[in-house]
């Protein structure tokens, strides 16, 4: 059987979708800090040495993931597939010919029938990994059946267990051996894979509520294990027969809103987890005359996510040679277009498109700044003669190495017979006797590129804390991301409202867009006392700083941390007390006729309120008030900020 390429993604959707509807390179996003000029081979770490090399939980500082000590933790990871299911949707679920690459996973991580857990993990160490992305299906959480003994033949201690209990054992073994584990919600059902398989969105085959509840269950289940470091919310969100996913429209297909809501619920259950969000993997109809493409993280440039813990967000993207920015990967027939594939680009073009679709997010000091994890990439290895794919793999690993990018290869584990892998994409393959055929054994052309990537110079050691900027978006409803305020009654009933993550303050507003900008740069220490919701002019002091305009002003020695709007009219300002006295002199920043943002302030190189005039205080100021008017058909939109110095 010729295996389906495991990159999988929108290739098989094409024919069914069309039939149904018919019936010059910029510099890297951020160069790695100074590193040795020549790469040195990283030693293979045993479980004990890997465990001693880092401490959980993980968090973020700017573009970097860091461990509990503030040291950079570069995700050098792989995908251990199987628990998402391998059945291809027809025929018997246990017939190898109806499972991906002829491999029946029985809905648990692959290989447990062939090699003991410890042996498989030794293979992971040999690849230089420090982390594992562990896919699962929502079906696994609710599956009360036990796996057949044959599925765990090499691990008899797992006999009689449910798929979830086997998953538990794998997680425990990985973390005990020092690996960071990232849970990945890959599919709804056990069907694999692609296109119109019932797993297109987080709410395909289930409600958004059920999906979120399942994530809260998983977060609580592994909460005590601080080497379970992340929740990768959903794999490759894509179009189904009739509907595209979107980023910010506020409907049932809005990935931006669903991911943010789920991420905040996960953080309420376990504040230590990284929340990992992929962008949109595919939208549109891949045919001439129809809009189509693979946006990935491009929407983040103007609509980024804000979580209750701003140091927990990681974005992710996937790249495979035979797909492209507007190419599904279909080789011929319906859905095959002339759009370039990633393998068609020159090295310079590839670096440019990877930056445009993903790595731009790692720029310093923007509302979207976060680490980017390329959580899937790969190529057919041993036995492959695809010269274009091989050239792409070399170029793509160069891009990852040059940008010091976190990565996870697809997949880690597969089967083999007499030295021939069932799935040539797997880095480690096992026969029924447990014999391993590995990437670094003779005959796999990928070894040089893989070792180049794993051993590439990287930033290591302490990562200094960085200032953060996060946007608030009230386009369709509330955005309350203050953990403190979430535990209190509604502070502006009947209005759309947003408040900054705890430890941040309001820095700017968009005019008529209901967008806001938060920051923690130079943040004053928080004082005791209640936070005040201001709805009138009773606290206006220090003179009339916006003559003839309505003003919402915080009480002296407090600073704005949130705002409320009715339609787009200002309705409330949320103010938090400072621990020490704040200056009460200030300046008026007007933005009723144009942008008024500081030349060198945070997030000024990115647009956090597209199409709107914006006002923003400098990084050394705080918002003390907002002025608006209903005159001249202005409808109460904010026109000016009162910016006062922090010291």
């Amino acid at each position: 059987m010729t295996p389906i390429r495991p990159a999988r993604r929108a290739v098989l959707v094409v024919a069914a979708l069309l039939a149904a509807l018919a019936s010059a390179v910029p510099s890297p996003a951020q160069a790695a800090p100074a590193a040795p000029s020549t790469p040195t081979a990283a030693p293979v770490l045993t479980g004990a040495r890997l465990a001693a090399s880092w401490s959980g939980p993980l968090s973020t500082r700017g573009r970097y993931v860091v461990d509990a000590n503030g040291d950079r933790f570069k995700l050098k990871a792989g995908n251990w597939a199987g628990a998402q299911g391998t059945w291809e949707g027809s025929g018997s679920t246990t017939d190898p010919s109806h499972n991906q690459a002829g491999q029946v996973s029985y809905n648990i991580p692959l290989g447990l029938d062939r090699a003991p857990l410890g042996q498989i993990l030794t293979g992971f160490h040999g690849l230089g990994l420090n982390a594992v992305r562990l896919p699962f299906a929502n079906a696994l959480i609710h599956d009360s059946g036990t796996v057949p003994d044959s599925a765990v033949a090499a691990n008899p201690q797992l006999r009689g267990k449910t798929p979830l209990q086997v998953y538990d054992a794998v997680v425990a073994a990985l973390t005990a051996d020092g690996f960071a584990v990232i849970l990945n919600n890959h599919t709804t059902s056990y069907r694999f894979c692609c296109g119109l398989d019932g797993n297109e969105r987080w709410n395909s085959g289930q409600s958004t509520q059920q999906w979120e509840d399942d994530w809260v269950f998983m977060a609580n289940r592994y909460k005590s294990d601080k080497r379970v470091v992340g929740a990768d919310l959903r794999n490759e969100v894509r179009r189904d027969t009739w509907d595209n996913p979107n980023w910010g429209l506020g409907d049932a297909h809005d990935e931006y809103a669903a991911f943010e809501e789920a991420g905040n619920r996960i953080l309420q259950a376990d504040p230590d987890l990284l929340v990992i969000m992929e962008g949109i993997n595919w939208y549109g109809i891949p045919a001439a005359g129809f809009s189509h493409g693979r946006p990935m993280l491009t929407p983040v440039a103007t609509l980024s996510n804000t979580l209750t813990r701003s140091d927990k967000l990681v974005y992710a993207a996937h790249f495979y040679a035979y797909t492209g920015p507007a190419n599904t990967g279909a080789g011929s027939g319906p859905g095959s277009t002339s759009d370039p594939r990633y393998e068609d680009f020159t090295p310079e073009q590839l670096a440019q498109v990877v930056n445009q679709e993903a790595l731009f997010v790692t720029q310093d000091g923007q509302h979207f700044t976060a680490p980017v994890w390329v959580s899937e990439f790969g190529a057919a290895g041993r036995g492959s003669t695809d010269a274009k794919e091989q050239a792409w793999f070399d170029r793509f690993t160069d891009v990852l190495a040059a940008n010091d990018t976190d990565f996870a290869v697809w997949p880690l584990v597969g089967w083999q017979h007499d030295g021939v892998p069932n799935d040539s994409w797997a880095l480690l393959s096992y026969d029924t006797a447990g014999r391993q055929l590995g990437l670094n054994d003779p005959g796999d052309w990928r070894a040089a590129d893989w070792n180049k990537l794993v051993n590439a110079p990287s930033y290591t050691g302490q990562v200094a804390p960085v200032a953060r900027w996060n946007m608030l978006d009230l386009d369709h409803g509330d955005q309350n991301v203050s953990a403190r305020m979430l535990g209190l009654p509604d502070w502006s009933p009947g209005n759309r409202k947003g408040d900054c993550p705890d430890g941040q303050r309001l820095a700017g507003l968009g005019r008529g867009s209901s967008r806001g900008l938060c920051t923690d740069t130079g943040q004053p220490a928080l004082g005791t006392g209640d936070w005040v919701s201001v709805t009138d002019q009773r606290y206006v002091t220090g003179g009339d700083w916006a003559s003839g305009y309505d003003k919402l002003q915080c009480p002296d020695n407090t600073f704005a941390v949130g705002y409320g709007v009715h339609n787009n009219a200002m309705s409330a300002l949320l103010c938090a007390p400072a621990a020490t006295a704040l200056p009460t002199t200030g300046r008026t920043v007007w933005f009723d006729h144009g942008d008024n943002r500081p030349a060198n302030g945070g997030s000024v190189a990115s647009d956090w309120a597209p199409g709107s005039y914006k006002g923003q205080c400098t990084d050394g100021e705080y918002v003390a008030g907002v002025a608006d008017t209903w005159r001249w058909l202005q409808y109460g939109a904010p026109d000016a900020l009162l910016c006062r110095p922090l010291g």
Side-chain angles (χ1 to χ4, degrees):
M1 168 183 176
T2 302
I4 297 172
R5 289 195 176 200
R8 50 237 208 254
R9 343 296 156 199
V11 178
L12 300 184
V13 67
V14 177
L17 175 59
L18 292 177
L21 293 176
S23 53
V25 187
S27 59
Q30 177 183 344
S37 56
T38 18
T40 55
V44 173
L45 299 181
T46 63
R49 292 177 66 195
L50 178 59
S53 70
W54 69 283
S55 300
L58 302 183
S59 57
T60 70
R61 290 182 179 177
R63 62 148 292 177
Y64 295 112
V65 176
V66 298
D67 74 359
N69 299 315
D71 291 324
R72 199 274 175 94
F73 186 86
K74 182 175 182 177
L75 293 169
K76 299 182 179 183
N79 287 266
W80 189 358
Q84 81 287 344
T86 52
W87 179 60
E88 293 178 329
S90 64
S92 170
T93 59
T94 59
D95 183 342
S97 67
H98 295 295
N99 282 259
Q100 189 269 331
Q103 303 170 141
V104 183
S105 73
Y106 290 101
N107 312 319
I108 60 176
L110 273 165
L112 299 178
D113 59 330
R114 296 178 170 233
L117 260 170
Q119 180 184 338
I120 294 174
L121 301 195
T122 296
F124 294 173
H125 287 299
L127 293 170
L129 304 179
N130 62 12
V132 171
R133 183 178 186 243
L134 200 61
F136 70 89
N138 292 96
L140 173 140
I141 296 172
H142 307 282
D143 188 348
S144 60
T146 57
V147 301
D149 289 352
S150 60
V152 291
N155 292 274
Q157 75 278 14
L158 302 179
R159 289 177 181 168
K161 294 187 180 296
T162 67
L164 179 58
Q165 289 169 336
V166 173
Y167 192 91
D168 291 341
V170 168
V171 169
L174 284 165
T175 59
D177 224 32
F179 293 101
V181 171
I182 294 170
L183 313 174
N184 163 239
N185 178 222
H186 211 79
T187 52
T188 303
S189 71
Y190 287 133
R191 183 178 173 183
F192 181 94
C193 101
C194 324
L196 301 180
D197 60 4
N199 298 306
E200 298 87 357
R201 293 191 305 274
W202 62 94
N203 55 1
S204 295
Q206 61 188 351
S207 67
T208 296
Q209 179 71 44
Q210 182 61 62
W211 173 69
E212 292 180 3
D213 289 347
D214 282 353
W215 260 123
V216 171
F217 171 86
M218 294 294 274
N220 282 320
R221 190 171 186 87
Y222 304 110
K223 186 175 181 177
S224 63
D225 189 341
K226 295 310 171 188
R227 294 193 192 276
V228 176
V229 298
D232 184 351
L233 296 184
R234 185 71 177 190
N235 189 70
E236 294 183 357
V237 172
R238 55 195 184 272
R239 182 189 174 100
D240 61 17
T241 303
W242 302 109
D243 297 303
N244 282 315
N246 68 76
W247 195 265
L249 294 185
D251 60 16
H253 307 140
D254 184 352
E255 179 183 338
Y256 164 81
F259 276 25
E260 192 162 284
E261 181 174 282
N264 283 324
R265 285 196 63 194
I266 289 166
L267 290 173
Q268 285 180 308
D270 183 358
D272 287 333
L273 285 175
L274 296 175
V275 174
I276 300 166
M277 302 183 184
E278 292 180 38
I280 296 172
N281 190 263
W282 185 263
Y283 83 95
I285 303 167
F290 293 94
S291 177
H292 58 272
R294 194 181 309 279
M296 289 206 279
L297 299 180
T298 53
V300 172
T302 53
L303 185 57
S304 59
N305 297 91
T306 299
L307 298 171
T308 55
R309 287 283 305 271
S310 58
D311 62 345
K312 292 297 182 179
L313 175 62
V314 174
Y315 285 111
H318 295 177
F319 292 92
Y320 289 98
Y322 66 93
T323 61
N327 195 310
T328 64
S332 60
S336 177
T337 70
S338 59
D339 300 300
R341 306 171 192 271
Y342 294 115
E343 67 185 11
D344 296 328
F345 294 124
T346 66
E348 295 77 16
Q349 291 170 333
L350 181 63
Q352 182 178 36
V353 76
V354 171
N355 185 71
Q356 289 171 340
E357 291 190 313
L359 298 187
F360 77 90
V361 172
T362 62
Q363 293 175 66
D364 275 336
Q366 308 308 312
H367 66 86
F368 51 69
T369 302
V372 171
W373 183 34
V374 175
S375 55
E376 283 190 28
F377 75 102
R382 191 180 306 274
S384 171
T385 58
D386 187 337
K388 289 191 73 172
E389 185 172 69
Q390 292 181 18
W392 170 84
F393 193 78
D394 179 53
R395 294 168 183 172
F396 187 69
T397 50
D398 281 345
V399 171
L400 296 180
N403 287 277
D404 197 9
T405 301
D406 301 79
F407 60 84
V409 69
W410 179 279
L412 287 175
V413 177
W415 294 359
Q416 62 107 350
H417 179 71
D418 292 338
V420 179
N422 285 45
D423 182 356
S424 63
W425 290 60
L427 271 58
L428 303 173
S429 300
Y430 298 90
D431 66 12
T432 54
R435 288 184 289 264
Q436 176 184 289
L437 182 65
L439 173 80
N440 288 310
D441 293 325
D444 196 319
W445 64 267
R446 299 171 298 176
D449 289 320
W450 174 257
N451 290 319
K452 167 193 67 183
L453 175 60
V454 171
N455 299 325
S458 296
Y459 184 85
T460 59
Q462 278 283 303
V463 177
V466 296
R468 300 179 186 276
W469 286 267
N470 291 103
M471 64 174 295
L472 294 178
D473 161 35
L474 310 189
D475 291 359
H476 304 290
D478 293 351
Q479 193 176 30
N480 290 315
V481 288
S482 163
R484 172 194 174 104
M485 297 309 294
L486 284 171
L488 297 174
D490 188 339
W491 60 268
S492 186
N495 301 311
R496 304 195 316 280
K497 68 203 70 69
D499 41 49
C500 297
D502 293 340
Q504 294 190 21
R505 67 184 184 280
L506 191 64
L509 287 174
R511 189 175 190 278
S513 68
S514 74
R515 298 284 180 89
L517 183 70
C518 303
T519 188
D520 62 0
T521 180
Q523 181 75 355
L526 185 66
T528 58
D530 294 334
W531 293 15
V532 179
S533 177
V534 177
T535 58
D536 55 35
Q537 300 193 136
R538 74 183 66 185
Y539 298 110
V540 175
T541 59
D544 191 347
W545 50 271
S547 179
Y549 284 73
D550 298 328
K551 290 172 282 292
L552 300 174
Q553 184 172 330
C554 292
D556 289 350
N557 300 318
T558 69
F559 51 91
V561 293
Y563 62 101
V565 296
H566 191 81
N567 296 323
N568 286 320
M570 289 297 300
S571 60
L573 199 60
L574 181 66
C575 306
T580 57
L582 295 173
T584 55
T585 58
R587 65 189 182 101
T588 303
V589 173
W590 291 96
F591 55 104
D592 55 337
H593 288 88
D595 268 12
N596 194 349
R597 294 185 286 166
N600 300 310
S603 205
V604 296
S606 54
D607 196 342
W608 44 270
S612 297
Y613 297 147
K614 289 167 281 291
Q616 182 177 332
C617 298
T618 69
D619 295 349
E621 295 176 323
Y622 68 97
V623 173
V626 180
D628 66 83
T629 184
W630 287 83
R631 294 184 298 171
W632 310 301
L633 301 179
Q634 298 302 298
Y635 303 109
D639 288 310
L641 301 177
L642 174 60
C643 297
R644 288 176 168 174
L646 288 165

